[in-house]
């Protein structure tokens, strides 16, 4: 078997742990200045460099900061599980809710976490259908965020039902009572929406991972890694048959996820709006919840990716332009949320319904006015700062503002759930809500769950879609001055 | 199996190989390359049909389940409202449509790609490790009626490859 090598020497595969940063010997013909767009991959990196940089994150030595984040996360996660065991063994009385505020932090946290998930699906599906190429650098991490956020969300409805061991009654499984679930109830719709959402997000994420797991397999040095990545990449060869079925399936999944993600938070909002409680019973809820979900999700994506790009040295792949674009989405959805708040107030006045009016005035000046004004401050004012390019380009400020978005969106659900419930129609039905330490520790514990999974994801899985980033770089295009066959290859 | 440096050369080589009369071909690349399916003379993928069938099963099945439960098996009078209250059945019908369609998309994709596949001969070529990283490969299978070890190799060598290798099974 004779190897035939043509005129060029094949440059050896780039060294695994020391990506070369040189881009010497390349003449770049600059496009006219007015047509130039910030490239999606900075510093004219080659496709070999991209594999090294992304796969290197999961291949290199575990950095110190990873352990410093991982250990507290695991402790928090354990706290969460301990609290759940305590709740299940003692009963839901260990939580704050009681008449008339029967829905407390469990529902707030559920809606908050699931809303965060929506940004991942929006990035992976909707931006894909809109051919927004910049999504490729962030979609993998955002999808992972979706899955872990939906996991955190899913815990709460499950444990808040009280008798957790009867949770299977929610599913249409024939049981000895001969009873079916009530399919006309929005709470049942929620069960189907959330479980479908989780399943589809997981499949979408895993499918996108298969080619990249094959990259990891082909770069793996140790037998265990070879075996594990080989197992999960299912024998992917990158053949044209594979790619064409894969691309079509990916496109279809994106098309299916788009209405799905819109339906999930619409259905979550119907948990509230189908009831007749003032403050809940409004038709604006579905679109307003979806916008709020995307807003909070982008807040969380920024909170995660702004420090990560720095820690993992991926500034050339998750560029300032990516961060700026995410800030703009946050601005747009934040403005929709602000508009929805104003419209809610307007309709409460315009409807002439005294209960509706009272509910809204009570939000702004009642017992929990502080919660309302935190919400307004974080969700209406904060995103407006993203109008300024200087702010969008300052990573420190973006990071801080993104945390404000997360806080604000938690308080939005607090306002909706608690403030609406604590003043019923009759003053004899009025009450006050106070969370217990179990409420607080369970909620904090879900952060442990989220970050434990997210950190494991960072260490073992390519956090950026390698194949997709390669396909959007001009370097992959032989007609581009940076790409294709060149004398003295530049890998 | 010939190795190429970029996808343009690969598409060009594939077209020429196909024109030469070879039919049992496959091309391997680190990212999807457009125009390859046409160059290989492939038909359209059947994934959409599978998804359509899966989605229809999910939708019809989901609606039937609710109708059967609420109307037939467990009729429950709530303020005299109709038992077959179809608007309230739409959300779950929709969710189950999406669920079954998505499941059939990924299962259909895997089945059409014959994955999971624990062994594939192309991996016997050491250079093929780079097929997922930055190299492009064209493979003429030995089952092709036109295949001849010497002549096929000579032909592939004329296509500006980086190297030509024999794949042992």
């Amino acid at each position: 078997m004779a190897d035939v090598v043509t005129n060029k020497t094949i440059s050896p595969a780039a060294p695994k742990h020391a990506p070369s940063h040189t881009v010497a010997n390349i003449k770049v013909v600059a496009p006219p200045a007015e047509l130039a767009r910030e490239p999606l991959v900075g510093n004219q990196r080659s496709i070999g460099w991209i594999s090294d940089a992304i796969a290197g994150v999961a291949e290199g030595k575990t950095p110190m900061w990873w352990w410093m984040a991982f250990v507290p996360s695991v402790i928090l996660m354990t706290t969460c599980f301990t609290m759940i065991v305590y709740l299940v063994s003692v009963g839901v009385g260990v939580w704050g809710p009681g008449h008339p505020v029967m829905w407390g932090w469990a529902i707030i946290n559920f809606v908050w976490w699931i809303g965060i998930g929506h940004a991942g699906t929006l990035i992976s599906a909707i931006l894909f259908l809109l051919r927004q190429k910049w999504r490729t650098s962030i979609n993998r991490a955002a999808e992972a965020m979706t899955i872990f956020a939906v996991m955190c969300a899913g815990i709460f409805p499950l444990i808040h039902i009280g008798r957790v061991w009867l949770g299977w009654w929610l599913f249409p499984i024939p049981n000895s009572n001969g009873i079916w679930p009530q399919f006309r109830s929005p709470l049942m719709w929620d069960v189907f929406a959330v479980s479908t959402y989780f399943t589809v997000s997981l499949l979408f994420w895993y499918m996108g991972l298969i080619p990249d797991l094959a990259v990891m397999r082909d770069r793996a040095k140790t037998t265990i890694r070879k075996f594990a990545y080989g197992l999960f990449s299912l024998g992917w060869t990158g053949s044209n048959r594979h790619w064409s079925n894969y691309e079509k399936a990916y496109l279809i999944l994106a098309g299916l996820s788009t209405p799905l993600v819109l339906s999930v938070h619409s259905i979550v909002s119907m948990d509230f709006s189908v009831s007749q409680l003032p403050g809940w019973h409004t038709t604006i809820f579905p679109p307003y919840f979806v916008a709020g979900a995307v807003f909070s999700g982008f807040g969380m994506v920024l909170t995660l990716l702004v420090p990560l790009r720095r820690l993992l040295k991926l500034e050339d792949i998750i560029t300032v332009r990516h961060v700026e674009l995410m800030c703009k989405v946050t601005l747009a959805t934040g403005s929709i949320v602000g508009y929805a708040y104003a419209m809610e107030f307007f309709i409460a006045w315009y409807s002439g319904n005294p209960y509706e009016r009272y509910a809204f005035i009570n939000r702004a000046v009642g017992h929990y006015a502080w919660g309302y004004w935190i919400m307004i401050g974080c969700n209406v004012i904060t995103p407006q700062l993203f109008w300024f390019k200087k702010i969008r380009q300052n990573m420190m400020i973006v990071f801080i503002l993104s945390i404000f978005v997360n806080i604000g969106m938690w308080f939005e659900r607090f306002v909706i759930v608690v403030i609406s419930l604590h003043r019923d129609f009759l003053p004899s039905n009025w009450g006050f809500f106070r969370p217990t330490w179990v409420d607080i520790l369970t909620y904090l514990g879900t952060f442990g769950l989220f970050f434990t999974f997210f950190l494991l994801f960072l260490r073992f899985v390519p956090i950026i879609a390698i194949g997709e980033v390669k396909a959007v770089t001009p370097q992959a295009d032989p007609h581009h001055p940076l790409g294709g066959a060149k004398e003295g290859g530049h890998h | 199996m010939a190795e190429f440096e970029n996808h343009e050369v690969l598409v060009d080589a594939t077209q020429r190989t196909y024109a030469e009369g070879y039919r049992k071909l496959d091309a391997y690349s680190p990212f999807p390359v457009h125009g390859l399916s046409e160059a290989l003379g492939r038909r359209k993928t059947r994934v959409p049909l599978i998804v359509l069938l899966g989605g229809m099963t999910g939708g019809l099945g989901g609606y039937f389940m609710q109708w059967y439960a609420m109307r037939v098996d467990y009729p429950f009078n709530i303020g005299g409202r109709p038992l077959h209250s179809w608007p309230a059945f739409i959300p779950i019908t929709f969710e189950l449509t999406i669920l079954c369609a998505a499941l059939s998309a990924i299962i259909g994709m895997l089945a059409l790609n014959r994955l999971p596949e624990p062994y594939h001969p192309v991996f016997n070529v050491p250079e093929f490790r780079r097929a997922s990283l930055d190299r492009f490969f064209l493979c003429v299978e030995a089952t092709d009626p036109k295949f001849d070890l010497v002549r096929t190799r000579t032909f592939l060598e004329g296509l500006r490859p980086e190297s030509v290798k024999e794949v042992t099974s």
Side-chain angles (χ1 to χ4, degrees), chain A residues 2-6 11 180-181 184 189 218 234 238-240 242-243 245 260 263 470 476 478-479 485, chain B residues 5 7-8 27-29 42 45 70 73 83 85 95 113 115 117 130 132-133 153 157 161-163 165:
Chain A
D3 293 359
V4 180
V5 180
T6 51
S11 53
W180 284 88
R184 302 180 189 98
W189 304 347
D218 293 345
L234 306 176
S239 84
N240 170 258
H242 284 185
W243 278 121
N245 287 327
L260 175 65
S263 82
K470 283 178 189 169
H479 297 308
Chain B
E5 210 209 346
H7 61 81
E8 297 269 305
Y28 302 86
S29 55
R42 286 259 165 80
T45 148
M70 300 284 98
D73 196 44
L83 290 172
S85 50
E95 298 299 334
N113 285 347
L115 295 175
E117 188 175 38
R130 288 182 70 183
S132 65
L133 305 175
R153 166 181 285 277
E157 276 161 12
E162 302 290 312
S163 69
K165 292 281 158 60

Short mmCIF file of all heavy atoms in Angstrom, two decimals, chain A residues 2-6 11 180-181 184 189 218 234 238-240 242-243 245 260 263 470 476 478-479 485, chain B residues 5 7-8 27-29 42 45 70 73 83 85 95 113 115 117 130 132-133 153 157 161-163 165:
data_model
loop_
_atom_site.label_atom_id
_atom_site.label_comp_id
_atom_site.label_asym_id
_atom_site.label_seq_id
_atom_site.Cartn_x
_atom_site.Cartn_y
_atom_site.Cartn_z
N ALA A 2 1.02 1.84 -1.14
CA ALA A 2 1.91 3.01 -1.24
C ALA A 2 1.12 4.29 -1.02
O ALA A 2 0.05 4.46 -1.57
CB ALA A 2 2.55 3.03 -2.61
N ASP A 3 1.68 5.12 -0.21
CA ASP A 3 1.03 6.42 -0.01
C ASP A 3 1.44 7.34 -1.16
O ASP A 3 2.60 7.41 -1.51
CB ASP A 3 1.49 7.05 1.29
CG ASP A 3 1.00 6.25 2.47
OD1 ASP A 3 0.30 5.24 2.24
OD2 ASP A 3 1.31 6.64 3.60
N VAL A 4 0.51 8.00 -1.70
CA VAL A 4 0.82 8.95 -2.75
C VAL A 4 0.57 10.33 -2.19
O VAL A 4 -0.54 10.66 -1.79
CB VAL A 4 -0.04 8.72 -4.00
CG1 VAL A 4 0.33 9.72 -5.06
CG2 VAL A 4 0.16 7.31 -4.48
N VAL A 5 1.61 11.10 -2.12
CA VAL A 5 1.45 12.45 -1.59
C VAL A 5 1.78 13.42 -2.70
O VAL A 5 2.79 13.28 -3.38
CB VAL A 5 2.40 12.67 -0.39
CG1 VAL A 5 2.24 14.07 0.15
CG2 VAL A 5 2.11 11.65 0.67
N THR A 6 0.91 14.34 -2.92
CA THR A 6 1.12 15.27 -4.03
C THR A 6 2.02 16.42 -3.60
O THR A 6 2.60 16.41 -2.53
CB THR A 6 -0.23 15.81 -4.52
OG1 THR A 6 -0.93 16.28 -3.40
CG2 THR A 6 -1.00 14.75 -5.23
N SER A 11 0.51 19.12 6.33
CA SER A 11 0.90 19.63 7.64
C SER A 11 0.34 18.68 8.69
O SER A 11 -0.78 18.22 8.56
CB SER A 11 0.35 21.03 7.86
OG SER A 11 -1.03 21.02 7.62
N TRP A 180 -59.27 9.26 34.81
CA TRP A 180 -58.32 9.86 33.88
C TRP A 180 -57.95 11.25 34.41
O TRP A 180 -58.74 11.87 35.11
CB TRP A 180 -58.95 10.03 32.50
CG TRP A 180 -59.05 8.76 31.71
CD1 TRP A 180 -60.07 7.88 31.74
CD2 TRP A 180 -58.09 8.26 30.79
NE1 TRP A 180 -59.83 6.84 30.87
CE2 TRP A 180 -58.62 7.06 30.27
CE3 TRP A 180 -56.85 8.70 30.32
CZ2 TRP A 180 -57.95 6.28 29.32
CZ3 TRP A 180 -56.20 7.93 29.38
CH2 TRP A 180 -56.73 6.73 28.89
N PRO A 181 -56.78 11.76 34.01
CA PRO A 181 -56.50 13.16 34.36
C PRO A 181 -57.48 14.09 33.63
O PRO A 181 -58.05 13.70 32.60
CB PRO A 181 -55.07 13.39 33.85
CG PRO A 181 -54.56 12.10 33.36
CD PRO A 181 -55.70 11.15 33.24
N ARG A 184 -58.80 19.01 30.34
CA ARG A 184 -59.22 20.39 30.03
C ARG A 184 -58.51 21.39 30.92
O ARG A 184 -58.69 22.59 30.77
CB ARG A 184 -60.72 20.54 30.20
CG ARG A 184 -61.54 19.59 29.35
CD ARG A 184 -63.01 19.82 29.57
NE ARG A 184 -63.80 18.78 28.93
CZ ARG A 184 -64.28 17.74 29.57
NH1 ARG A 184 -64.06 17.57 30.86
NH2 ARG A 184 -65.00 16.83 28.93
N TRP A 189 -52.16 20.63 30.73
CA TRP A 189 -51.47 21.07 29.50
C TRP A 189 -50.00 21.31 29.83
O TRP A 189 -49.11 20.98 29.06
CB TRP A 189 -52.06 22.38 28.95
CG TRP A 189 -53.52 22.33 28.68
CD1 TRP A 189 -54.31 21.22 28.63
CD2 TRP A 189 -54.37 23.45 28.42
NE1 TRP A 189 -55.60 21.57 28.35
CE2 TRP A 189 -55.67 22.94 28.21
CE3 TRP A 189 -54.17 24.81 28.32
CZ2 TRP A 189 -56.75 23.76 27.92
CZ3 TRP A 189 -55.23 25.64 28.03
CH2 TRP A 189 -56.52 25.11 27.85
N ASP A 218 -12.09 11.28 17.68
CA ASP A 218 -10.93 11.19 16.80
C ASP A 218 -9.71 11.89 17.38
O ASP A 218 -8.60 11.68 16.93
CB ASP A 218 -11.28 11.79 15.44
CG ASP A 218 -12.31 10.93 14.73
OD1 ASP A 218 -12.50 9.78 15.16
OD2 ASP A 218 -12.92 11.40 13.76
N LEU A 234 -21.87 7.28 18.35
CA LEU A 234 -22.68 6.28 17.64
C LEU A 234 -22.06 5.80 16.34
O LEU A 234 -22.75 5.24 15.50
CB LEU A 234 -24.09 6.84 17.33
CG LEU A 234 -24.92 7.40 18.48
CD1 LEU A 234 -26.22 7.97 17.94
CD2 LEU A 234 -25.25 6.31 19.50
N GLY A 238 -19.21 11.13 9.31
CA GLY A 238 -19.17 12.37 8.54
C GLY A 238 -19.38 12.14 7.07
O GLY A 238 -19.02 12.96 6.24
N SER A 239 -19.99 10.98 6.71
CA SER A 239 -20.22 10.73 5.29
C SER A 239 -21.35 11.62 4.80
O SER A 239 -22.12 12.16 5.58
CB SER A 239 -20.57 9.27 5.06
OG SER A 239 -21.94 9.06 5.29
N ASN A 240 -21.40 11.74 3.49
CA ASN A 240 -22.42 12.62 2.92
C ASN A 240 -23.82 12.14 3.26
O ASN A 240 -24.71 12.93 3.52
CB ASN A 240 -22.23 12.69 1.41
CG ASN A 240 -23.38 13.36 0.73
OD1 ASN A 240 -24.23 12.73 0.15
ND2 ASN A 240 -23.44 14.67 0.85
N HIS A 242 -24.70 10.62 6.00
CA HIS A 242 -24.93 11.07 7.38
C HIS A 242 -25.29 12.54 7.41
O HIS A 242 -26.29 12.93 8.02
CB HIS A 242 -23.66 10.84 8.22
CG HIS A 242 -23.46 9.42 8.60
ND1 HIS A 242 -22.45 9.01 9.42
CD2 HIS A 242 -24.12 8.30 8.26
CE1 HIS A 242 -22.50 7.70 9.60
NE2 HIS A 242 -23.51 7.26 8.89
N TRP A 243 -24.47 13.35 6.76
CA TRP A 243 -24.70 14.80 6.85
C TRP A 243 -26.04 15.19 6.24
O TRP A 243 -26.72 16.07 6.77
CB TRP A 243 -23.58 15.57 6.16
CG TRP A 243 -22.35 15.77 6.98
CD1 TRP A 243 -21.09 15.35 6.65
CD2 TRP A 243 -22.23 16.44 8.25
NE1 TRP A 243 -20.20 15.71 7.64
CE2 TRP A 243 -20.87 16.39 8.63
CE3 TRP A 243 -23.13 17.08 9.09
CZ2 TRP A 243 -20.38 16.95 9.80
CZ3 TRP A 243 -22.66 17.63 10.27
CH2 TRP A 243 -21.30 17.56 10.62
N ASN A 245 -28.92 13.47 5.84
CA ASN A 245 -30.05 13.14 6.72
C ASN A 245 -30.02 13.98 7.98
O ASN A 245 -31.06 14.43 8.47
CB ASN A 245 -30.01 11.66 7.11
CG ASN A 245 -30.39 10.76 5.96
OD1 ASN A 245 -31.23 11.13 5.14
ND2 ASN A 245 -29.78 9.61 5.89
N LEU A 260 -42.96 25.02 19.47
CA LEU A 260 -42.97 24.38 20.79
C LEU A 260 -42.58 25.37 21.87
O LEU A 260 -43.27 25.51 22.88
CB LEU A 260 -42.02 23.18 20.79
CG LEU A 260 -41.86 22.49 22.14
CD1 LEU A 260 -43.16 21.86 22.58
CD2 LEU A 260 -40.76 21.44 22.09
N SER A 263 -45.20 27.74 22.55
CA SER A 263 -46.36 27.14 23.22
C SER A 263 -46.08 26.88 24.69
O SER A 263 -46.98 26.99 25.52
CB SER A 263 -46.76 25.83 22.54
OG SER A 263 -45.95 24.77 22.99
N LYS A 470 -17.06 25.87 12.03
CA LYS A 470 -16.19 25.71 10.87
C LYS A 470 -16.91 26.13 9.60
O LYS A 470 -16.34 26.78 8.74
CB LYS A 470 -15.75 24.26 10.74
CG LYS A 470 -14.67 23.87 11.71
CD LYS A 470 -14.35 22.40 11.52
CE LYS A 470 -13.45 21.93 12.61
NZ LYS A 470 -13.34 20.47 12.61
N ALA A 476 -13.07 28.44 5.86
CA ALA A 476 -13.45 27.17 5.27
C ALA A 476 -13.77 27.32 3.79
O ALA A 476 -14.00 26.35 3.09
CB ALA A 476 -14.66 26.59 6.00
N PRO A 478 -12.67 28.14 0.16
CA PRO A 478 -11.43 28.25 -0.60
C PRO A 478 -11.35 29.52 -1.44
O PRO A 478 -10.26 29.91 -1.84
CB PRO A 478 -11.42 27.01 -1.48
CG PRO A 478 -12.73 26.37 -1.34
CD PRO A 478 -13.48 26.97 -0.22
N HIS A 479 -12.50 30.16 -1.70
CA HIS A 479 -12.43 31.37 -2.51
C HIS A 479 -12.03 32.58 -1.68
O HIS A 479 -11.76 33.64 -2.20
CB HIS A 479 -13.78 31.65 -3.16
CG HIS A 479 -14.17 30.57 -4.11
ND1 HIS A 479 -13.34 30.14 -5.11
CD2 HIS A 479 -15.28 29.81 -4.17
CE1 HIS A 479 -13.93 29.17 -5.76
NE2 HIS A 479 -15.10 28.93 -5.21
N ALA A 485 -6.82 25.93 -0.03
CA ALA A 485 -5.46 25.44 -0.25
C ALA A 485 -4.51 26.60 -0.47
O ALA A 485 -4.70 27.43 -1.34
CB ALA A 485 -5.45 24.53 -1.46
N GLU B 5 -7.80 18.42 0.48
CA GLU B 5 -7.52 19.46 1.46
C GLU B 5 -8.72 20.34 1.72
O GLU B 5 -8.85 20.90 2.82
CB GLU B 5 -6.32 20.30 1.03
CG GLU B 5 -5.57 20.82 2.26
CD GLU B 5 -4.86 22.12 2.04
OE1 GLU B 5 -4.70 22.53 0.88
OE2 GLU B 5 -4.48 22.73 3.05
N HIS B 7 -13.10 21.46 0.58
CA HIS B 7 -14.35 20.88 0.07
C HIS B 7 -14.56 21.15 -1.40
O HIS B 7 -15.21 20.39 -2.09
CB HIS B 7 -15.54 21.30 0.93
CG HIS B 7 -15.81 22.76 0.98
ND1 HIS B 7 -16.47 23.40 -0.01
CD2 HIS B 7 -15.51 23.69 1.90
CE1 HIS B 7 -16.58 24.68 0.31
NE2 HIS B 7 -16.00 24.89 1.46
N GLU B 8 -13.98 22.23 -1.93
CA GLU B 8 -14.14 22.51 -3.36
C GLU B 8 -13.49 21.39 -4.18
O GLU B 8 -14.08 20.89 -5.13
CB GLU B 8 -13.46 23.83 -3.70
CG GLU B 8 -14.08 25.02 -3.01
CD GLU B 8 -15.17 25.64 -3.83
OE1 GLU B 8 -14.91 25.99 -4.99
OE2 GLU B 8 -16.31 25.77 -3.32
N ALA B 27 -18.66 10.33 0.33
CA ALA B 27 -17.71 11.41 0.61
C ALA B 27 -17.82 11.75 2.08
O ALA B 27 -18.91 11.74 2.65
CB ALA B 27 -18.05 12.62 -0.24
N TYR B 28 -16.70 12.05 2.70
CA TYR B 28 -16.66 12.31 4.14
C TYR B 28 -16.08 13.69 4.38
O TYR B 28 -15.08 14.07 3.77
CB TYR B 28 -15.79 11.26 4.85
CG TYR B 28 -16.29 9.85 4.61
CD1 TYR B 28 -15.90 9.14 3.49
CD2 TYR B 28 -17.17 9.26 5.50
CE1 TYR B 28 -16.36 7.86 3.26
CE2 TYR B 28 -17.64 7.97 5.28
CZ TYR B 28 -17.24 7.28 4.16
OH TYR B 28 -17.71 6.01 3.95
N SER B 29 -16.72 14.45 5.29
CA SER B 29 -16.25 15.82 5.50
C SER B 29 -16.49 16.22 6.95
O SER B 29 -17.37 15.68 7.60
CB SER B 29 -17.00 16.78 4.57
OG SER B 29 -18.38 16.63 4.76
N ARG B 42 -27.30 11.45 -5.30
CA ARG B 42 -28.18 10.93 -4.26
C ARG B 42 -29.58 11.49 -4.40
O ARG B 42 -29.77 12.64 -4.78
CB ARG B 42 -27.64 11.34 -2.88
CG ARG B 42 -26.43 10.57 -2.47
CD ARG B 42 -26.79 9.49 -1.48
NE ARG B 42 -25.70 8.53 -1.35
CZ ARG B 42 -24.62 8.76 -0.59
NH1 ARG B 42 -24.53 9.89 0.08
NH2 ARG B 42 -23.68 7.86 -0.51
N THR B 45 -33.45 13.09 0.94
CA THR B 45 -33.57 12.29 2.15
C THR B 45 -35.04 12.04 2.50
O THR B 45 -35.91 12.83 2.17
CB THR B 45 -32.83 12.97 3.33
OG1 THR B 45 -33.52 12.65 4.52
CG2 THR B 45 -32.79 14.46 3.17
N MET B 70 -62.32 11.64 28.01
CA MET B 70 -63.26 12.65 28.51
C MET B 70 -64.70 12.38 28.06
O MET B 70 -65.65 12.78 28.72
CB MET B 70 -62.84 14.04 28.02
CG MET B 70 -61.46 14.48 28.46
SD MET B 70 -61.38 15.00 30.18
CE MET B 70 -60.77 13.55 30.99
N ASP B 73 -64.80 7.06 28.24
CA ASP B 73 -64.44 6.23 29.38
C ASP B 73 -64.75 6.87 30.72
O ASP B 73 -65.04 6.17 31.69
CB ASP B 73 -62.94 5.88 29.29
CG ASP B 73 -62.58 4.71 30.19
OD1 ASP B 73 -63.35 3.74 30.19
OD2 ASP B 73 -61.56 4.79 30.88
N LEU B 83 -69.16 17.36 26.73
CA LEU B 83 -68.10 16.41 27.07
C LEU B 83 -66.99 16.43 26.03
O LEU B 83 -65.83 16.31 26.35
CB LEU B 83 -68.69 15.00 27.19
CG LEU B 83 -69.60 14.78 28.40
CD1 LEU B 83 -70.27 13.42 28.30
CD2 LEU B 83 -68.82 14.88 29.70
N SER B 85 -65.27 18.63 24.45
CA SER B 85 -64.95 20.06 24.39
C SER B 85 -63.64 20.25 23.66
O SER B 85 -62.57 20.42 24.27
CB SER B 85 -64.86 20.61 25.81
OG SER B 85 -64.02 19.78 26.59
N GLU B 95 -48.96 19.45 21.63
CA GLU B 95 -47.71 19.01 22.26
C GLU B 95 -47.35 17.59 21.85
O GLU B 95 -46.18 17.30 21.60
CB GLU B 95 -47.82 19.09 23.80
CG GLU B 95 -48.06 20.48 24.36
CD GLU B 95 -46.97 21.49 24.05
OE1 GLU B 95 -45.82 21.07 23.84
OE2 GLU B 95 -47.28 22.69 24.01
N ASN B 113 -29.29 6.60 8.68
CA ASN B 113 -27.83 6.64 8.68
C ASN B 113 -27.23 5.34 9.18
O ASN B 113 -26.02 5.22 9.31
CB ASN B 113 -27.32 7.78 9.57
CG ASN B 113 -27.50 9.11 8.90
OD1 ASN B 113 -27.76 9.19 7.72
ND2 ASN B 113 -27.36 10.17 9.67
N LEU B 115 -27.15 4.23 12.12
CA LEU B 115 -26.45 4.45 13.39
C LEU B 115 -27.34 3.91 14.50
O LEU B 115 -28.55 3.91 14.35
CB LEU B 115 -26.21 5.95 13.60
CG LEU B 115 -25.27 6.65 12.63
CD1 LEU B 115 -25.25 8.14 12.92
CD2 LEU B 115 -23.87 6.09 12.70
N GLU B 117 -23.53 2.46 14.77
CA GLU B 117 -22.79 1.47 14.00
C GLU B 117 -21.42 1.33 14.66
O GLU B 117 -20.57 2.20 14.54
CB GLU B 117 -22.64 1.98 12.57
CG GLU B 117 -22.05 0.96 11.64
CD GLU B 117 -22.03 1.46 10.21
OE1 GLU B 117 -21.79 2.66 10.02
OE2 GLU B 117 -22.26 0.66 9.30
N ARG B 130 -8.67 12.48 10.64
CA ARG B 130 -8.81 13.91 10.38
C ARG B 130 -10.08 14.24 9.61
O ARG B 130 -10.35 15.41 9.35
CB ARG B 130 -7.59 14.41 9.62
CG ARG B 130 -6.37 14.47 10.51
CD ARG B 130 -5.16 15.00 9.81
NE ARG B 130 -5.26 16.42 9.53
CZ ARG B 130 -4.34 17.10 8.85
NH1 ARG B 130 -3.28 16.48 8.40
NH2 ARG B 130 -4.49 18.38 8.62
N SER B 132 -12.97 14.21 10.70
CA SER B 132 -13.85 15.00 11.54
C SER B 132 -13.21 16.34 11.89
O SER B 132 -13.85 17.19 12.48
CB SER B 132 -14.19 14.24 12.82
OG SER B 132 -13.02 14.07 13.59
N LEU B 133 -11.93 16.51 11.55
CA LEU B 133 -11.24 17.73 11.95
C LEU B 133 -11.12 18.71 10.79
O LEU B 133 -11.79 19.73 10.77
CB LEU B 133 -9.86 17.40 12.53
CG LEU B 133 -9.88 16.40 13.69
CD1 LEU B 133 -8.47 16.05 14.09
CD2 LEU B 133 -10.66 16.96 14.87
N ARG B 153 -7.29 3.34 -8.31
CA ARG B 153 -6.26 4.11 -7.62
C ARG B 153 -5.63 5.14 -8.56
O ARG B 153 -5.51 6.32 -8.20
CB ARG B 153 -5.19 3.16 -7.08
CG ARG B 153 -3.92 3.87 -6.64
CD ARG B 153 -2.89 2.88 -6.14
NE ARG B 153 -3.21 2.37 -4.83
CZ ARG B 153 -2.92 3.01 -3.68
NH1 ARG B 153 -2.34 4.17 -3.72
NH2 ARG B 153 -3.24 2.50 -2.53
N GLU B 157 -5.79 9.17 -8.14
CA GLU B 157 -4.56 9.96 -8.03
C GLU B 157 -4.55 11.13 -8.99
O GLU B 157 -3.84 12.11 -8.79
CB GLU B 157 -3.34 9.06 -8.27
CG GLU B 157 -2.93 8.33 -7.01
CD GLU B 157 -2.05 7.12 -7.28
OE1 GLU B 157 -1.59 6.98 -8.43
OE2 GLU B 157 -1.85 6.33 -6.35
N PRO B 161 -5.49 14.72 -5.16
CA PRO B 161 -5.69 14.42 -3.74
C PRO B 161 -4.41 14.67 -2.95
O PRO B 161 -3.34 14.85 -3.54
CB PRO B 161 -6.02 12.93 -3.73
CG PRO B 161 -5.26 12.40 -4.91
CD PRO B 161 -5.13 13.51 -5.91
N GLU B 162 -4.53 14.71 -1.63
CA GLU B 162 -3.35 14.77 -0.77
C GLU B 162 -2.72 13.38 -0.69
O GLU B 162 -1.52 13.25 -0.59
CB GLU B 162 -3.74 15.22 0.64
CG GLU B 162 -4.44 16.57 0.69
CD GLU B 162 -3.50 17.70 0.36
OE1 GLU B 162 -2.41 17.73 0.93
OE2 GLU B 162 -3.86 18.55 -0.49
N SER B 163 -3.59 12.36 -0.67
CA SER B 163 -3.08 10.99 -0.64
C SER B 163 -4.21 10.06 -1.08
O SER B 163 -5.38 10.45 -1.08
CB SER B 163 -2.63 10.61 0.77
OG SER B 163 -3.76 10.52 1.61
N LYS B 165 -5.53 6.06 -0.31
CA LYS B 165 -5.30 4.93 0.59
C LYS B 165 -6.26 3.81 0.25
O LYS B 165 -7.36 4.05 -0.27
CB LYS B 165 -5.55 5.35 2.04
CG LYS B 165 -4.53 6.33 2.58
CD LYS B 165 -3.26 5.63 2.97
CE LYS B 165 -2.09 6.58 2.99
NZ LYS B 165 -2.26 7.67 3.93
#
